[in-house]
Structure formats: structure tokens, C-alpha cells
Amino acid sequence: PAIPKGEVLGATDLHAGTKLKRGTFSLKAGEILGVAGLQGMGQLDLFLACFGMADVHGGTLRVDGRPIVLQSPVDAVRAQIGISLVPEDRKTEGLFLQLSGKHNVSMPVIDRFRRGLLIDGAAETTAVEGVFARLEIDRRALWTRAGAFSGGNQQKIVMAKWLLAESRTLLLYDPTRGIDVGTKSEIYRLIRDYADAGGAVLFYSTEIPELVHLADRVLVFYGGEVAAEISADRLSEKALLQAALGTASRIELVA
């Protein structure tokens, strides 16, 4: 099939991990593509495969319309690829809790501040301060360990890391889980602002209203593959729930 014009990240019949049997999608710049599905339907393996963390057994993964193979997250975050993952469990997968917020954020791009054998600490601090200001993260995070902050602020530190890396594509896997309502609203704004600035977002959430509110369209996973694609004009909680439970026909839902 023809590759959609302007595609930043895409896949055709991707078979990866232990649950994903056939994942097909196309994500463009400026778009928030939602992902819904009951636990264990293959969506986690899709996200991990797009970040070089799951074995790919078949199918094709593409960046800018070209097939790629990601051996590890190091490949994914390279400038010419620019894929970043905000994982479900920020405490064990997204942060080094004993390190400061600054060091967590600068770690993926620390070579940017290397001057010979040394790190330019002033340049590092200035760069991190800039993304902290954008995300309204307390300046104390420059020197305070990440584990000392609330769950919502920890998640914002994770997002700051990838904003500093200037990622082109954000993979968000249930990013507001366990976060208070006020911080959720801030994260929604950040996601929308990122997309409006030209970033591409693949966004999975266990909260159906989040997908209805934020996504431009939604892929629904069932039995290890995309069972439905629901466009914005037909997006509703009922439609998502029906597709996630496997009780609605694909013909009814695909626009």
C-alpha cells in the first residue's frame, strides 16, 4: 500500500514482542494518534517496538516513509530518528530517582554539553532551565533528586527530558496514570502544544475520556491487531468501548 504523504512514523503488519500480531498505522507531524484497548491486546509491544525495546518478528517499521530497524532505544533517540518514550511506570522506567531532575533531563543528550573530557555545567544548566520553564517545573529540580517530587512533577521531568532532546515523535504510554487532576490538565496542554508545534504523538491511555478529548483519531487494539480506526467525527466513549470489547463491527467504526 502507498505510504501516506507526510508520515513521520508508521508500520505495516508489525509483529513484535509476545502480543502484537499485526500492527499497522501511520502518524503525521502535528497529529495526536490515540491508541485504545484492553490490557494485553498488543499495544504495549507496539510502543516498545517503536522505541527499540521489543523484538520485531515481521512486518515493517518506518520513519519518514523509509523502513528502519531499531536495535535499541539508542537508535530511536538519534537526531535523524527522534523517537522518545514516556513509559507507564515513571519511577522504574522513566527516571533515576536518586539523581537530580537536571541530570535526568540532560542524560540522553549529555554529549551536547561535552567540551573535550569535561561537561560544560553552565551550558547544561541553562538548557535544562529552559525546558523546566516551558513545563512549569519548580527550579528546585535542578539540584533536588527526582524521587523527592510528586508523581505529576516526576512525569513532567520525564517529558522535559525528551523536549530537551528535541524529539520529533513522542510515544506516550498512559502518561497521566496516578496523577492528580490539576497536573493532568497541564500535561494535556503540553501534549497539545507539542503537536501544534509540529511534533507527532502516539498516545495510549486507559482513560477513554482522555482519548476522546485529546486524540485526532484513535486506533483500537483487540487480539493483537488494530481492530478499528475511529476518526475524529465519529469519536466517542461508546464507540471506543464497543471496539475495545470486540462488540462492534469494524465497518461501523472505520471512517
Side-chain angles (χ1 to χ4, degrees):
I3 298 169
K5 185 177 180 181
E7 178 184 272
V8 176
L9 178 66
T12 300
D13 295 336
L14 193 65
H15 178 200
T18 59
K19 301 285 188 181
L20 182 64
K21 298 175 183 176
R22 190 168 61 199
T24 297
F25 73 94
S26 183
L27 175 63
K28 297 180 180 180
E31 182 180 33
I32 299 175
L33 177 57
V35 175
L38 302 177
Q39 188 173 1
M41 292 297 173
Q43 63 271 39
L44 177 57
D45 286 335
L46 174 71
F47 277 69
L48 295 178
C50 290
F51 196 55
M53 291 180 65
D55 293 333
V56 174
H57 313 299
T60 305
L61 186 65
R62 301 182 301 272
V63 169
D64 295 329
R66 298 187 300 272
I68 61 165
V69 176
L70 300 176
Q71 301 286 354
S72 73
V74 174
D75 290 340
V77 300
R78 289 203 312 260
Q80 60 268 44
I81 303 296
I83 301 171
S84 300
L85 172 67
V86 176
E88 178 180 18
D89 192 337
R90 56 193 166 270
K91 292 182 181 293
T92 62
E93 299 173 339
L95 293 170
F96 291 99
L97 296 178
Q98 299 304 316
L99 294 182
S100 69
K102 181 182 81 168
H103 289 140
N104 268 283
V105 169
S106 65
M107 190 175 297
V109 293
I110 194 64
D111 284 346
R112 187 185 300 175
F113 309 108
R114 193 180 301 278
R115 306 291 183 265
L117 298 177
L118 302 176
I119 300 297
D120 185 339
E124 179 189 12
T125 297
T126 298
V128 173
E129 273 187 308
V131 292
F132 279 3
R134 285 172 61 188
L135 273 64
E136 299 180 3
I137 297 172
D138 194 313
R139 195 172 181 276
R140 291 183 302 116
L142 288 170
W143 60 81
T144 304
R145 67 182 185 87
F149 289 89
S150 67
N153 281 304
Q154 287 176 354
Q155 195 69 307
K156 289 203 289 184
I157 291 171
V158 175
M159 296 184 73
K161 172 169 57 176
W162 300 126
L163 289 181
L164 182 64
E166 298 176 347
S167 299
R168 302 167 59 217
T169 303
L170 273 181
L171 310 175
L172 303 176
Y173 197 88
D174 220 6
T176 65
R177 185 174 182 180
I179 291 175
D180 65 87
V181 174
T183 308
K184 278 186 180 183
S185 296
E186 292 182 53
I187 290 177
Y188 297 155
R189 175 183 58 80
L190 293 170
I191 295 170
R192 188 75 261 176
D193 287 350
Y194 176 85
D196 288 345
V201 180
L202 191 65
F203 173 52
Y204 168 71
S205 177
T206 51
E207 297 190 27
I208 297 297
E210 286 190 344
L211 294 171
V212 174
H213 172 65
L214 275 176
D216 297 309
R217 55 191 171 94
V218 177
L219 305 176
V220 184
F221 277 75
Y222 187 82
E225 59 185 67
V226 178
E229 179 179 327
I230 306 177
S231 59
D233 61 333
R234 306 192 65 173
L235 193 54
S236 69
E237 293 185 35
K238 180 180 178 181
L240 286 177
L241 285 169
Q242 284 182 326
L245 294 170
T247 57
S249 76
R250 180 169 181 169
I251 293 174
E252 289 175 350
L253 295 176
V254 176

